[in-house]
Amino acid sequence: MSVNQQAHTGPPYGQPQPGYQGYQQPVYGGQPLPGVPQSQYGAYNGPMPGYQQPVPPQGYFPSLGFPSKGSPVSLNSDTSSLAPNFIGSLRATPTSGAPPPASGASLPSGHLAYSQFGHGDVQNGIPASAAPMQRPPASQPFLPGSAPTPVSQTSTFQQYGPPPASVQQLSNHMAGMTVGSTTASAPPPAGLGYGPPTSVPPVSGSFSATGSGLYTPYTASQGPPPTSVSQGLPLAQPPFPGQPVSTQRLPTQVPGFAPPPSSTGIGPSSYPPTTGAPRPPTMPGPPLPGQAVAGPPTSQPNHVSSPPPPSTMSGLHPGPPMSGLHGPPPPTHPPQPGYQMQQNGSFGQVRGPHPNYGGAYPGTPNYGSQPGPPPPPKRLDPDSIPSPQLNELPPQQKPRHRIDPDAIPSPIQVIEDDRSNRGSEPFVTGVRGQVPPLVTTNFLVKDQGNASPRYIRCTSYNIPCTSDMAKQSQVPLAAVIKPLATLPPEETLPYLVDHGESGPVRCNRCKAYMCPFMQFIEGGRRFQCCFCSCVTEVPPHYFQHLDHTGKRVDFCDRPELSLGSYEFLATVDYCKNNKFPSPPAFIFMIDVSYNAVKSGLVRLICEELKSLLDYLPREGNMEESAIRVGFVTYNKVLHFYNVKSSLAQPQMMVVSDVADMFVPLLDGFLVNVNESRTVIASLLDQIPEMFADTRETETVFAPVIQAGLEALKAAECAGKLFIFHTSLPIAEAPGKLKNRDDKKLINTDKEKTLFQPQTSFYNNLAKDCVAQGCCVDLFLFPNQYLDVATLGVVTYQTGGSIYKYAYFQLETDQDRFLNDLRRDVQKEVGFDAVMRVRTSTGIRATDFFGAFYMSNTTDVEMAGLDCDKTITVEFKHDDKLSEDSGALLQCALLYTSCAGQRRLRIHNLSLNCCTQLADLYRNCETDTLINYLAKYAYRGVLGSPVKTVRDALINQCAQILACYRKNCASPSSAGQLILPECMKLLPVYLNCVLKSDVLQPGPEVTTDDRAYIRQLVTSMDVAETNVFFYPRLLPLTKADVDSDSLPAAIRNSEERLSKGDIYLLENGLNIFVWVGVNVQQGLIQNLFGVSSFSQISNTLSILPVLENPFSKKVRSIVDMLQLQRSRYMKLIIVKQEDKLEMLFKHFLVEDKSLSGGASYVDFLCHMHKEIRQLLS
């Protein structure tokens, strides 16, 4: 049974916990049933019956863990839910052998377990039974009185805390837990990151110096220890037995830990000196820091301290706050049988439970039974705790204790907790500065004055009042804005407001648009701007009286006064050359060189376009699309086609003078699909035949874009070019390129040239395209180096998308390509777009990231902006902010809709401001922070060596965490790593960014791949970067075939995989299905339709359609994931021990990477070292 996820944090207070299998469960109030052994970590509600808890000795405060005079320093700097996040023996309420509390594993039917919005009838946050709301037409005209009336809102932010726990729950790592140091029969060779599957696998990926594994058996009756460091309210005095400690949100505490000696990791308990070093003497008198207080038997210590520095005495390094607390005595009843050990063996030894999977592992037969309670240890010395078979080991094989990966913050746990705490309630946006649920949580948004987090997410929702404070914290202040984001069906699209010829009401000075934060004065005759404080006359047609609170009496009826997001119909003043725009055009430009024809690509594109042209985007309730289409084919020359409806056959015109591109026909090039349907169909039939025998291998590229641009200019409209291209453009023509791929430049100062365009020609071309509103989408089918860094420039600066299909093969890649093409043609796009972000006095937008062009410092210009693209904006202080008024952002996007209507889309967001650093750290959003940092780094590689960029990232994050440690965490040993609650995943996610192909490529990553990923990530939204950097890993064999929900995810590490299971890993670009060597034959037959592991083909690109529940379930999971992503993911079947497995392992981001990236545990140690250096 390979269920190595961390335990779920337990059900909400007052709900019974599910019973443990194997024996009855004591009643939830703590009353044991007669004759039933009390589970050591059962649902806990007060001190354990029958166990007298001693009062702590005077002068000793359990919350601190070291002797102290006077009252203790509170564990946290304030009374709210931000607690220092000690990373320690992190465990949640266990579910030993039991089905877990339903957190995210079994969402109500219809719920997706992951949020990427706007697909089908996925219920998003409201119960499946609720009647679905009617979705209005694409952008409904606003009728006065039809705006949603804001619900008067009570407190919108509920604290979800676990039940009160007494100090007893702050037990040491595990009362009565044996530190097993049992080695497997043949230890794998030392130094391997992960032993080959044939050797005995490492236990939890940890090796001692000699490679022996360490593991801690849990019996079925024993879960892992709870995480309940008291948090929330400072303890004014040590809690007494029975006095509940208020807990708010579970902190995680990592054993204090220092840099590891040489390369080993850090122990799950304490960081002992290298094997064989003398132990500190036992000292009488008051307990040393980190020593247990005499009392009941405590178990393995829960901290990892560094080897004693020479300056201190030979006692242990000061331990963490929790080290000496009293835990309940270990159970003395014999262990209950847990799950049967799987016959097929597993990858990695048994480990702690995962959320949503029943129970801890049983031990293997040798160490199933738990020894009696150990004698009270004299000092916290892990090697003095008796453990089975330790004496049988040769002396040099005593394992070095290492940090238990289950004891450090788990992304899976955080995601599950957020889902269970915040997935059920709608997120109401009426309150300033609310942090939204995570992007991985499914929730419903109710707009009551602030833009939905689907449109804007911030790195922090409480920003420092002064620039000095912002510099001190180093937390970047940024917003990731997705102005045309798709909403789920049950949320209302922005209302369209038409103010007639006078246009939208705006501030006279700063030109901000009317919004809910404007203040009406003088009985409603004037309004004061919330951005610049200027007072403006209200136009007579817009006048309305105020009520007794100073609000306009019609504020409920006007979207711009009551909602965070809405649209205005733009007047002619907002249009180019003061005339309304024509509807946009789509031009399909197909490479017909030898490679494209031979691979079957040309025929495939032509066949698909015949049906796809019926699905061009159209406005709300229009009968047909207003978009006109045109066709070009090219190799060394260009062929234009006249498809005028009056023609019997299409006509072809060839332009061979590519140096001076022009469009040879005006009438008949851009046509309405319905009018010219038969001519277009005839053309698409003829193109593959015309070029079937071509021998032309060379292509041009820049003239193709120029041709499309000229055609749009001649038609006086904006539009999009869909270019299908296969090779490096080496034919004699403007924009000709040479092959400059050079792997030897990697890790040199010249590496940055690989990301830069070869020539400035394309930058100038991009500028012309943006001016005309000509957006370029590029579909690449390379068999060798193509120079994506240069070819992608125009696409990138016009707001377009690049799709890349290396070594394109019809049978394996056509599904992915056709799905991408369909979605790209059909999705919502705004043309000729300009975006400006206004802010209230005190901060201003200083930097922008994304796929766009800027001709000045404020306006973001995009020839096209689609529903998947984000623009990331960074803000800096230019004055002081005040806590009372907060800070405001207004994003205004001016664009032409697909019907040719000029519109303004407005998004408003209000943020809090703080004078205390603790408030900043309590309101950060790590996923958004990582999105910003990745984009910042990916832009950095254009001008700096990659190593410099990596170091800057590590340094900035170390400064963010060191500032928290210094200013917000309670004083404690420097040997401890303390993380802010909402940033506890910063190290694991940052490590994923550092190990990504752009910043640390393996030998198999091509230069083109790196340039492609760099451009892709730059316009990703927060949900996409989240799964791209930390992929989702699902155990398919654990999926419930009868429910609609996904199986609970597990952590991205090889030691979490079992040889007997099948797993799915997705990262937004690929879906891997990994099949273990010992998977039961029946499962293989059900999923792949073959009878044995060896017969599974790894060239499958889609799963076979088989009529059995398992096949249906897995295919439905794959379909569900595909719908959540903006690109169709490539399906790759990986058999364990197959050559493709190396590629799969590259995505197990918690492990060491082959390209030299650190494992999560090692990186956490490295970050801790950096933080300590900054603090000292």
Side-chain angles (χ1 to χ4, degrees):
M1 175 76 188
S2 175
V3 284
N4 331 26
Q5 237 168 334
Q6 255 175 287
H8 175 70
T9 14
Y13 183 42
Q15 286 178 12
Q17 237 180 336
Y20 291 172
Q21 288 170 357
Y23 57 92
Q24 288 173 283
Q25 161 91 352
V27 183
Y28 189 70
Q31 307 301 317
L33 297 171
V36 175
Q38 173 85 9
S39 150
Q40 186 190 347
Y41 296 109
Y44 183 73
N45 208 1
M48 190 174 282
Y51 171 53
Q52 180 57 43
Q53 180 168 337
V55 179
Q58 234 174 344
Y60 178 80
F61 297 103
S63 61
L64 296 182
F66 44 85
S68 138
K69 291 272 187 282
S71 70
V73 188
S74 74
L75 257 184
N76 28 338
S77 46
D78 51 6
T79 55
S80 77
S81 65
L82 166 89
N85 208 352
F86 305 128
I87 311 187
S89 168
L90 160 74
R91 283 284 191 231
T93 323
T95 46
S96 281
S103 67
S106 52
L107 291 165
S109 64
H111 278 241
L112 268 178
Y114 204 80
S115 80
Q116 185 85 340
F117 322 100
H119 294 295
D121 45 23
V122 176
Q123 292 281 344
N124 217 11
I126 55 173
S129 59
M133 289 154 71
Q134 288 299 309
R135 182 165 198 147
S139 213
Q140 62 216 59
F142 174 71
L143 307 170
S146 65
T149 314
V151 183
S152 69
Q153 182 179 344
T154 48
S155 76
T156 51
F157 214 111
Q158 267 176 297
Q159 283 297 351
Y160 300 88
S166 89
V167 185
Q168 197 173 332
Q169 233 178 332
L170 310 182
S171 63
N172 266 340
H173 185 49
M174 193 185 262
M177 180 176 88
T178 323
V179 180
S181 304
T182 9
T183 42
S185 51
L192 277 180
Y194 15 76
T198 45
S199 72
V200 173
V203 180
S204 70
S206 54
F207 285 94
S208 66
T210 54
S212 63
L214 149 76
Y215 104 99
T216 316
Y218 302 143
T219 56
S221 56
Q222 244 190 319
T227 319
S228 275
V229 180
S230 78
Q231 171 174 3
L233 302 168
L235 295 175
Q237 59 189 61
F240 291 100
Q243 178 182 336
V245 175
S246 133
T247 59
Q248 285 217 312
R249 201 154 147 196
L250 289 179
T252 29
Q253 150 146 23
V254 175
F257 67 117
S262 71
S263 66
T264 45
I266 301 171
S269 37
S270 130
Y271 203 123
T274 2
T275 322
R279 295 276 162 210
T282 335
M283 302 176 76
L288 281 175
Q291 247 184 329
V293 179
T298 51
S299 68
Q300 160 183 358
N302 138 9
H303 72 281
V304 181
S305 40
S306 36
S311 57
T312 63
M313 59 182 182
S314 61
L316 284 173
H317 210 68
M322 307 167 38
S323 9
L325 301 183
H326 317 290
T332 48
H333 55 78
Q336 306 293 329
Y339 282 98
Q340 285 301 307
M341 200 44 189
Q342 264 184 311
Q343 290 308 302
N344 49 33
S346 81
F347 236 28
Q349 303 268 4
V350 288
R351 290 293 301 275
H354 283 252
N356 305 325
Y357 287 135
Y361 287 118
T364 37
N366 316 4
Y367 3 95
S369 61
Q370 182 80 7
K378 300 180 192 66
R379 56 178 185 271
L380 291 182
D381 173 359
D383 281 10
S384 70
I385 298 170
S387 51
Q389 304 182 1
L390 190 62
N391 308 330
E392 285 88 320
L393 291 177
Q396 80 279 10
Q397 280 206 352
K398 277 194 183 180
R400 178 176 280 148
H401 292 269
R402 188 177 189 288
I403 285 182
D404 174 8
D406 279 335
I408 56 182
S410 155
I412 305 301
Q413 188 66 54
V414 171
I415 288 168
E416 284 298 337
D417 291 350
D418 192 76
R419 269 188 199 147
S420 53
N421 289 340
R422 304 195 62 186
S424 51
E425 294 291 314
F427 179 69
V428 184
T429 70
V431 177
R432 185 175 85 188
Q434 279 187 98
V435 183
L438 298 180
V439 284
T440 45
T441 298
N442 242 329
F443 59 100
L444 189 72
V445 179
K446 290 192 174 162
D447 184 343
Q448 288 192 4
N450 283 293
S452 159
R454 309 199 200 289
Y455 294 123
I456 306 183
R457 276 188 179 264
C458 294
T459 51
S460 178
Y461 287 80
N462 200 332
I463 61 182
C465 282
T466 64
S467 61
D468 290 347
M469 197 172 148
K471 284 194 186 95
Q472 185 186 358
S473 74
Q474 288 285 314
V475 175
L477 306 175
V480 179
I481 306 174
K482 193 176 184 181
L484 297 179
T486 310
L487 298 184
E490 55 274 23
E491 290 179 22
T492 314
L493 289 164
Y495 288 93
L496 181 59
V497 180
D498 185 358
H499 281 315
E501 287 186 13
S502 58
V505 179
R506 303 175 70 176
C507 165
N508 271 345
R509 185 199 288 162
C510 71
K511 301 293 184 228
Y513 294 86
M514 181 53 67
C515 72
F517 310 115
M518 297 289 190
Q519 187 69 44
F520 287 87
I521 53 176
E522 297 177 25
R525 287 190 296 276
R526 298 172 157 206
F527 69 89
Q528 183 169 28
C529 177
C530 51
F531 294 94
C532 70
S533 305
C534 173
V535 174
T536 302
E537 292 282 333
V538 173
H541 71 87
Y542 198 68
F543 174 78
Q544 185 55 271
H545 296 284
L546 309 183
D547 66 11
H548 65 285
T549 63
K551 271 189 168 169
R552 283 175 55 124
V553 295
D554 66 348
F555 93 100
C556 287
D557 304 332
R558 292 194 175 269
E560 73 273 22
L561 299 181
S562 55
L563 299 175
S565 301
Y566 41 88
E567 293 199 315
F568 292 119
L569 205 53
T571 58
V572 75
D573 307 335
Y574 292 88
C575 303
K576 260 188 202 160
N577 309 325
N578 277 5
K579 58 186 236 190
F580 284 112
S582 309
F586 283 1
I587 305 178
F588 297 91
M589 315 183 90
I590 305 167
D591 176 347
V592 288
S593 63
Y594 178 74
N595 276 344
V597 174
K598 186 190 66 174
S599 65
L601 179 63
V602 174
R603 187 175 297 278
L604 182 68
I605 293 168
C606 292
E607 282 301 316
E608 179 60 30
L609 286 180
K610 284 185 208 168
S611 54
L612 187 55
L613 294 177
D614 288 332
Y615 297 97
L616 298 176
R618 58 174 179 256
E619 203 72 74
N621 44 13
M622 286 171 58
E623 291 283 310
E624 61 174 55
S625 175
I627 293 173
R628 291 168 297 162
V629 297
F631 302 89
V632 172
T633 56
Y634 68 94
N635 39 46
K636 263 179 25 181
V637 297
L638 277 78
H639 322 104
F640 292 79
Y641 297 93
N642 183 344
V643 281
K644 199 171 173 179
S645 56
S646 56
L647 294 174
Q649 283 293 319
Q651 295 172 346
M652 172 164 129
M653 297 179 189
V654 180
V655 176
S656 51
D657 182 5
V658 289
D660 184 19
M661 187 42 66
F662 67 99
V663 180
L665 73 160
L666 285 179
D667 191 28
F669 179 63
L670 294 177
V671 296
N672 173 294
V673 173
N674 281 338
E675 290 168 11
S676 298
R677 184 174 298 279
T678 51
V679 195
I680 292 173
S682 171
L683 170 67
L684 294 172
D685 283 336
Q686 289 176 39
I687 288 174
E689 307 309 326
M690 270 192 291
F691 298 99
D693 301 324
T694 185
R695 285 281 167 269
E696 186 54 73
T697 54
E698 292 188 357
T699 56
V700 295
F701 184 70
V704 181
I705 296 175
Q706 286 170 328
L709 173 61
E710 292 302 322
L712 294 176
K713 270 186 189 165
E716 295 185 348
C717 68
K720 187 185 266 200
L721 312 182
F722 295 83
I723 302 180
F724 305 91
H725 188 78
T726 60
S727 58
L728 190 69
I730 53 172
E732 220 30 78
K736 170 187 174 179
L737 300 179
K738 58 181 193 293
N739 188 336
R740 52 155 187 170
D741 189 16
D742 188 359
K743 279 280 180 79
K744 291 197 287 297
L745 296 181
I746 292 180
N747 296 328
T748 69
D749 284 353
K750 288 190 177 168
E751 183 173 4
K752 60 189 176 208
T753 59
L754 297 175
F755 296 111
Q756 298 164 354
Q758 276 188 43
T759 153
S760 63
F761 181 88
Y762 287 95
N763 293 43
N764 298 327
L765 182 54
K767 187 176 167 182
D768 296 341
C769 286
V770 173
Q772 180 55 42
C774 168
C775 175
V776 179
D777 278 4
L778 190 51
F779 291 81
L780 296 173
F781 306 87
N783 289 335
Q784 55 200 24
Y785 179 70
L786 192 73
D787 203 349
V788 174
T790 306
L791 297 188
V793 166
V794 179
T795 298
Y796 185 64
Q797 293 190 17
T798 59
S801 307
I802 302 185
Y803 298 86
K804 182 166 160 285
Y805 310 88
Y807 306 106
F808 178 81
Q809 287 182 309
L810 217 52
E811 53 280 2
T812 54
D813 297 313
Q814 77 168 14
D815 272 337
R816 183 164 60 110
F817 162 58
L818 293 179
N819 276 289
D820 283 342
L821 177 59
R822 286 166 197 155
R823 185 155 196 278
D824 197 53
V825 167
Q826 293 172 43
K827 67 185 171 188
E828 184 190 354
V829 187
F831 293 95
D832 222 344
V834 183
M835 185 182 103
R836 180 176 283 195
V837 178
R838 292 180 173 82
T839 52
S840 52
T841 312
I843 53 169
R844 61 194 171 91
T846 54
D847 209 349
F848 300 86
F849 304 82
F852 53 74
Y853 174 78
M854 290 187 83
S855 55
N856 59 31
T857 56
T858 53
D859 295 336
V860 174
E861 300 172 52
M862 294 153 290
L865 172 69
D866 64 48
C867 55
D868 299 321
K869 296 283 185 304
T870 62
I871 293 95
T872 302
V873 186
E874 186 180 7
F875 303 97
K876 290 262 172 31
H877 287 75
D878 56 8
D879 204 346
K880 282 199 169 111
L881 294 163
S882 93
E883 279 189 281
D884 300 336
S885 54
L888 298 174
L889 318 176
Q890 184 179 76
C891 160
L893 176 79
L894 175 64
Y895 71 99
T896 302
S897 75
C898 58
Q901 199 177 49
R902 202 72 177 145
R903 293 181 178 180
L904 283 152
R905 181 169 286 203
I906 313 295
H907 297 297
N908 302 288
L909 186 64
S910 59
L911 302 172
N912 286 330
C913 298
C914 58
T915 51
Q916 298 296 319
L917 282 165
D919 292 328
L920 164 70
Y921 283 102
R922 191 183 304 110
N923 292 283
C924 286
E925 235 254 310
T926 300
D927 291 323
T928 311
L929 190 57
I930 287 293
N931 179 286
Y932 164 83
L933 290 171
K935 291 171 181 177
Y936 182 77
Y938 281 17
R939 187 178 67 185
V941 298
L942 291 172
S944 309
V946 171
K947 184 178 187 316
T948 312
V949 173
R950 291 166 50 82
D951 292 347
L953 266 185
I954 294 173
N955 185 41
Q956 181 170 5
C957 289
Q959 284 186 317
I960 290 171
L961 298 174
C963 173
Y964 172 80
R965 174 65 192 260
K966 184 178 173 188
N967 298 289
C968 310
S970 55
S972 55
S973 134
Q976 265 183 291
L977 173 59
I978 302 180
L979 300 174
E981 173 64 28
C982 63
M983 283 192 191
K984 62 186 176 191
L985 298 181
L986 188 60
V988 62
Y989 286 163
L990 177 68
N991 190 33
C992 298
V993 174
L994 293 170
K995 296 201 299 192
S996 64
D997 290 339
V998 174
L999 299 181
Q1000 192 161 36
E1004 72 297 334
V1005 180
T1006 67
T1007 306
D1008 274 346
D1009 283 335
R1010 297 177 74 196
Y1012 171 63
I1013 295 296
R1014 195 191 76 76
Q1015 293 194 13
L1016 204 57
V1017 167
T1018 307
S1019 44
M1020 276 185 181
D1021 71 9
V1022 180
E1024 288 172 321
T1025 49
N1026 173 277
V1027 79
F1028 179 76
F1029 290 114
Y1030 192 93
R1032 186 152 47 153
L1033 183 60
L1034 305 173
L1036 294 179
T1037 22
K1038 306 281 185 298
D1040 177 359
V1041 293
D1042 299 321
S1043 92
D1044 291 341
S1045 62
L1046 293 170
I1050 59 173
R1051 290 172 66 172
N1052 281 217
S1053 172
E1054 184 171 7
E1055 65 193 25
R1056 309 277 171 179
L1057 305 180
S1058 151
K1059 291 182 180 184
D1061 287 326
I1062 301 174
Y1063 298 86
L1064 179 149
L1065 181 144
E1066 63 122 354
N1067 71 342
L1069 295 183
N1070 298 305
I1071 290 182
F1072 292 92
V1073 174
W1074 182 91
V1075 187
V1077 287
N1078 294 350
V1079 173
Q1080 292 166 2
Q1081 203 175 330
L1083 282 177
I1084 291 175
Q1085 183 72 52
N1086 283 346
L1087 188 56
F1088 299 104
V1090 295
S1091 54
S1092 71
F1093 178 81
S1094 58
Q1095 291 174 302
I1096 300 170
S1097 162
N1098 53 16
T1099 59
L1100 288 175
S1101 60
I1102 50 171
L1103 291 168
V1105 178
L1106 302 171
E1107 285 304 312
N1108 64 72
F1110 185 60
S1111 172
K1112 284 179 184 165
K1113 176 66 183 175
V1114 172
R1115 282 181 289 115
S1116 80
I1117 289 174
V1118 171
D1119 293 344
M1120 194 191 292
L1121 298 180
Q1122 294 285 20
L1123 279 176
Q1124 290 174 22
R1125 304 288 166 230
S1126 61
R1127 289 168 182 249
Y1128 194 82
M1129 295 179 281
K1130 181 178 186 175
L1131 182 78
I1132 301 169
I1133 307 293
V1134 178
K1135 293 154 71 174
Q1136 189 182 344
E1137 297 169 18
D1138 189 53
K1139 59 181 184 299
L1140 271 175
E1141 203 185 18
M1142 290 327 265
L1143 178 62
F1144 172 76
K1145 285 180 181 175
H1146 177 66
F1147 296 99
L1148 297 176
V1149 291
E1150 288 196 23
D1151 298 336
K1152 274 197 178 74
S1153 72
L1154 291 172
S1155 52
S1159 69
Y1160 175 20
V1161 168
D1162 291 345
F1163 183 70
L1164 203 52
C1165 301
H1166 178 70
M1167 280 302 284
H1168 187 38
K1169 188 173 101 186
E1170 295 281 324
I1171 292 166
R1172 289 177 67 175
Q1173 279 176 345
L1174 288 171
L1175 291 174
S1176 61

